[in-house]
């Protein structure tokens, strides 16, 4: 079993910054993909940023403002969010696909809420 725990959400004014963290724990043999998704009220969950085999993908709406990174020694993934806009308001989820003792498995965190408002 793998557990993903997000932190770092909160209320921020437009133009501000937040850094989200996602700590992974459990029996992970290797990481296939990791990413951040978000779901705004009334909308479908969407990919914000993801990494796979060294390549990084960003949603067009966050390019140049958000940066995904990771600290492999800590099994932690980050999302640095700058120049935040009201439309970035959503619950942010981290996602990971791992090779575990039970084979290839996908896991989700519980989500952390980000509210961008003045």
């Amino acid at each position: 079993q793998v557990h993903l725990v997000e932190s770092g959400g909160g209320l921020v004014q437009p133009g501000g910054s937040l850094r989200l963290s996602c700590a992974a724990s459990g029996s992970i043999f290797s990481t296939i993909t990791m990413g951040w998704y978000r779901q705004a009220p009334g909308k479908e969950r969407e990919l914000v940023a993801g990494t796979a085999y060294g390549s990084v993908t960003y949603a067009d709406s966050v390019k140049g403002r958000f940066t995904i990174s990771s600290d492999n020694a800590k099994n932690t993934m980050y999302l640095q969010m700058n120049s935040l806009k009201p439309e970035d308001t959503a619950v942010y989820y981290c996602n990971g696909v791992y090779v575990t003792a039970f084979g290839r498995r996908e896991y989700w965190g519980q989500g952390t809420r980000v509210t961008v408002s003045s």
Side-chain angles (χ1 to χ4, degrees):
Q1 184 74 345
V2 174
H3 296 278
L4 302 179
V5 179
E6 300 106 332
S7 61
L11 173 65
V12 63
Q13 292 187 344
S17 298
L18 282 175
R19 189 177 82 155
L20 306 182
S21 299
C22 173
S25 62
S27 180
I28 298 172
F29 291 173
S30 63
T31 300
I32 299 174
T33 67
M34 290 195 73
W36 289 94
Y37 289 73
R38 68 185 180 187
Q39 187 166 20
K43 295 187 176 181
E44 293 185 355
R45 190 172 297 188
E46 63 174 353
L47 175 68
V48 176
T51 67
Y53 304 109
S55 66
V56 179
T57 300
Y58 293 99
D60 288 342
S61 59
V62 307
K63 283 180 180 177
R65 301 188 297 122
F66 291 11
T67 303
I68 188 172
S69 63
S70 63
D71 184 334
N72 294 332
K74 296 181 179 180
N75 275 341
T76 301
M77 177 176 63
Y78 304 97
L79 185 68
Q80 178 66 43
M81 305 185 296
N82 299 327
S83 302
L84 282 161
K85 304 175 180 180
E87 51 263 44
D88 295 317
T89 295
V91 177
Y92 285 70
Y93 299 89
C94 68
N95 170 276
V97 179
Y98 306 98
V99 177
T100 74
F102 304 100
R104 184 182 185 275
R105 294 288 186 270
E106 180 179 25
Y107 296 92
W108 291 90
Q110 82 286 355
T112 185
R113 185 173 300 276
V114 172
T115 303
V116 184
S117 175
S118 56

